[in-house]
Amino acid sequence: PCVCVPSTHVCAPLSPLCPPLDINELNLPKTCEIDFSDQDDLLHFRLLICPDEGFYKGGKFVFSFKVGQGYPHDPPKVKCETMVYHPNIDLEGNVCLNILRWATATPRVATATP
């Protein structure tokens, strides 16, 4: 969807066929905060995650997001700025998830031939 910040009346289309989404409509859990440091560039933002349960409880993890102009065909770049051991985060903080590449996948239909 497009992301709009009401105080600045700025819209950043994340996809050409999307309705605007007000930032205030995001239902983030209480353990997450989003930061758009540049209100004119909504395709770059940071997300602070503070888990309140599980192995990472009490931690504070900052992720930076860079959504390119090719979205949704190109996945966003996600980097963990906090040093953390996790199987999906490399030593430079790059988040390695196949789910970030979902937009580039082509659906396949299996057909049986008699």
Side-chain angles (χ1 to χ4, degrees), residues 47 49 61-66 75-82 84 86-101:
L47 180 67
I49 301 176
F61 306 97
V62 178
F63 293 85
S64 61
F65 288 76
K66 293 181 182 179
K77 304 285 185 210
V78 182
K79 190 164 195 133
C80 182
E81 297 179 9
T82 308
V84 62
H86 190 279
N88 295 104
I89 300 174
D90 69 17
L91 295 174
E92 286 82 39
N94 299 304
V95 176
C96 309
L97 289 176
N98 286 340
I99 197 161
L100 295 178
R101 302 179 201 285

Side-chain angles (χ1 to χ4, degrees), residues 3 5 10-14 23 33-48 62-71 75-79 81:
V3 178
V5 176
V10 174
C11 278
L14 297 180
I23 294 297
E33 293 178 20
I34 195 164
D35 173 39
F36 292 95
S37 54
D38 181 356
Q39 296 294 314
D40 293 326
D41 184 8
L42 299 180
L43 299 179
H44 297 94
F45 57 93
R46 294 173 69 195
L47 180 67
L48 172 66
V62 178
F63 293 85
S64 61
F65 288 76
K66 293 181 182 179
V67 181
Q69 295 300 322
Y71 184 84
K77 304 285 185 210
V78 182
K79 190 164 195 133
E81 297 179 9

Side-chain angles (χ1 to χ4, degrees), residues 6-28:
S7 60
T8 60
H9 304 291
V10 174
C11 278
L14 297 180
S15 171
L17 303 173
C18 64
L21 173 69
D22 188 319
I23 294 297
N24 296 323
E25 292 176 10
L26 292 176
N27 259 345
L28 292 177

